[in-house]
Amino acid sequence: MTYSQYAYVEAFINEKQRAWITAHVHMYEYFGGVAKILVSDNCKTAIVHNGGWYNQQVNAIYYGMAEHYGTAIIPARVRKPKDKPNAEGSVNGISTWITAALRNEQFFSLAELNAAIRVKLKEFNAKLFQKKEGSRLELFRDEELPLLAPLPATPYELAEWKQATVQFNYHISVDGMLYSVPYEYIKRKVDVRITDKTLEVFYNHNRIASHLRLHGRKGQYSTIVEHMPEDHQKYLEWNGKRFRQWAERIGINTYKVVDAILTSKRVEQQTYKSCMGLLKLADKYTTGRLESACEKALSYTASPSYKSIQNILAINQDKSVSAISEEETTHKNSHGITRGAGYYGR
């Protein structure tokens, strides 16, 4: 803080965007308020450097954080330490009171190091000035803190932006997880705002979907019913138990195939369309032929697909060999000797 020189110190592994923003959030929490102006270093993590000396722009994420806290960022000029002399001066004091004091200690985690830093920081801020009365803590508490703007209701949450294309199944894939958007946006490119807790989808700057962030194993689905086309919504009334009961009424082999399809995917709902298509084959080919086709498919593999059953029925592979042989014999006898006398007179 400029007037009191009240300081906040925290150690990080790097100075990337997540560490930079997290440091600011923790700093505001430590101070218990927000100053109207924030003078930052002119580093790449904070400033976009392609606009020339007189057109310095704060990057989008840093700007979003400043908007959240209601502060204005005025970056210091490059290699101009006098733009923030109190901060530069405090670095020297901190180097002696904290960095040097801990130089011979060994820490096994960043949290352990920061716990030790916090103890030394408290001592540093409470230390009495040499040339004036009081300490940094007293000066900040009595004269500076009352002038700070209050903290917002919730701390700023770092957001990451990505682009994604809406797939044919009206979902987008983000970090291996799938999130639904209204089906009208299939094949469209959308902007995705990602935080640790939420995921928001934007099209032309308008929010079209919002989900809780999924964590854990890859391939999980977050689907909102209203995003589904009407003909897809009808599948919601179906479940694995209902498909198995329907298949069991047709025959044991059909049941085995449906059960194999239902367990072939991590998310059972992904298999419902295949199960429905398979069981509907009975309407076209009869339940007896479907059961026979499933029996034949199971003789090849323990996990037949809908497509393999459909192919068996289409080329009549489900019919028994004896029935086919009898049919061929009848067909030949009805036409007599077809090779002709010339064949046998050679």
Side-chain angles (χ1 to χ4, degrees):
M1 297 298 297
T2 306
Y3 177 65
S4 65
Q5 300 178 43
Y6 189 65
Y8 175 71
V9 182
E10 184 174 353
F12 286 89
I13 293 295
N14 55 51
E15 199 181 341
K16 294 181 180 179
Q17 194 76 65
R18 178 170 290 278
W20 179 257
I21 297 296
T22 302
H24 283 70
V25 172
H26 292 174
M27 174 190 71
Y28 286 132
E29 290 174 351
Y30 184 79
F31 290 154
V34 182
K36 293 181 180 179
I37 295 174
L38 171 65
V39 179
S40 75
D41 278 340
N42 204 304
C43 55
K44 291 183 179 180
T45 318
I47 308 302
V48 178
H49 289 125
N50 57 5
W53 292 108
Y54 299 102
N55 190 28
Q56 299 286 302
Q57 294 182 346
V58 177
N59 72 45
I61 296 176
Y62 198 27
Y63 179 79
M65 186 217 72
E67 287 287 292
H68 182 81
Y69 285 103
T71 188
I73 297 174
I74 302 179
R77 293 171 293 174
V78 178
R79 293 185 292 276
K80 297 291 183 181
K82 290 184 179 180
D83 285 358
K84 44 182 175 59
N86 283 354
E88 297 292 341
S90 294
V91 169
N92 294 326
I94 289 165
S95 296
T96 301
W97 271 83
I98 298 178
T99 310
L102 300 176
R103 68 186 183 279
N104 294 323
E105 295 190 32
Q106 189 173 14
F107 302 96
F108 297 95
S109 70
L110 203 59
E112 190 178 344
L113 170 59
N114 278 316
I117 287 174
R118 186 61 69 94
V119 173
K120 293 295 181 182
L121 177 62
K122 186 176 180 180
E123 295 176 7
F124 176 76
N125 283 325
K127 184 170 67 78
L128 296 176
F129 291 116
Q130 291 181 350
K131 296 182 180 181
K132 57 183 177 181
E133 293 183 359
S135 64
R136 292 175 175 83
L137 174 60
E138 291 172 351
L139 203 58
F140 168 74
R141 183 188 60 209
D142 298 338
E143 300 190 40
E144 222 166 15
L145 181 58
L147 300 177
L148 297 182
L151 291 171
T154 57
Y156 178 74
E157 192 173 12
L158 177 64
E160 181 183 1
W161 286 88
K162 291 185 177 182
Q163 267 204 336
T165 301
V166 182
Q167 302 173 8
F168 71 95
N169 64 350
Y170 51 89
H171 284 73
I172 58 171
S173 178
V174 178
D175 297 333
M177 305 297 188
L178 294 110
Y179 303 87
S180 68
V181 300
Y183 71 93
E184 296 90 347
Y185 295 94
I186 289 174
K187 295 185 179 179
R188 303 286 181 89
K189 285 190 177 296
V190 294
D191 296 310
V192 187
R193 182 179 183 272
I194 309 160
T195 70
D196 288 336
K197 297 178 181 178
T198 61
L199 180 141
E200 297 173 288
V201 186
F202 295 82
Y203 182 74
N204 287 342
H205 306 292
N206 295 315
R207 192 174 75 169
I208 59 175
S210 178
H211 296 265
L212 290 175
R213 182 90 181 270
L214 295 173
H215 297 280
R217 62 173 176 79
K218 303 294 184 182
Q220 295 183 65
Y221 277 75
S222 176
T223 305
I224 297 174
V225 176
E226 289 74 16
H227 294 167
M228 306 170 73
E230 289 185 6
D231 58 338
H232 284 206
Q233 292 184 23
K234 67 183 181 182
Y235 289 109
L236 292 177
E237 64 189 55
W238 293 92
N239 53 51
K241 181 180 179 181
R242 191 166 180 181
F243 280 118
R244 287 184 176 93
Q245 289 175 343
W246 184 0
E248 196 171 24
R249 289 196 294 269
I250 294 175
I252 185 60
N253 294 300
T254 306
Y255 173 85
K256 289 179 180 178
V257 172
V258 167
D259 185 67
I261 292 174
L262 286 168
T263 56
S264 65
K265 303 281 187 183
R266 283 186 174 181
V267 180
E268 187 181 80
Q269 286 80 355
Q270 292 177 272
T271 66
Y272 288 176
K273 192 172 182 179
S274 295
C275 290
M276 180 68 75
L278 175 75
L279 295 169
K280 284 289 185 180
L281 289 173
D283 296 338
K284 183 177 181 181
Y285 294 103
T286 74
T287 56
R289 288 196 61 188
L290 176 58
E291 174 68 6
S292 298
C294 290
E295 181 180 10
K296 190 168 190 67
L298 287 167
S299 68
Y300 300 141
T301 174
S303 302
S305 65
Y306 158 72
K307 193 67 178 176
S308 65
I309 305 296
Q310 186 184 44
N311 289 339
I312 289 173
L313 289 166
I315 59 177
N316 297 321
Q317 282 189 341
D318 58 297
K319 295 182 178 180
S320 65
V321 177
S322 58
I324 294 174
S325 300
E326 184 179 347
E327 184 177 332
E328 289 176 349
T329 303
T330 304
H331 181 72
K332 290 177 181 178
N333 289 343
S334 64
H335 289 84
I337 298 173
T338 57
R339 292 191 175 108
Y343 176 86
Y344 293 98
R346 291 177 185 176

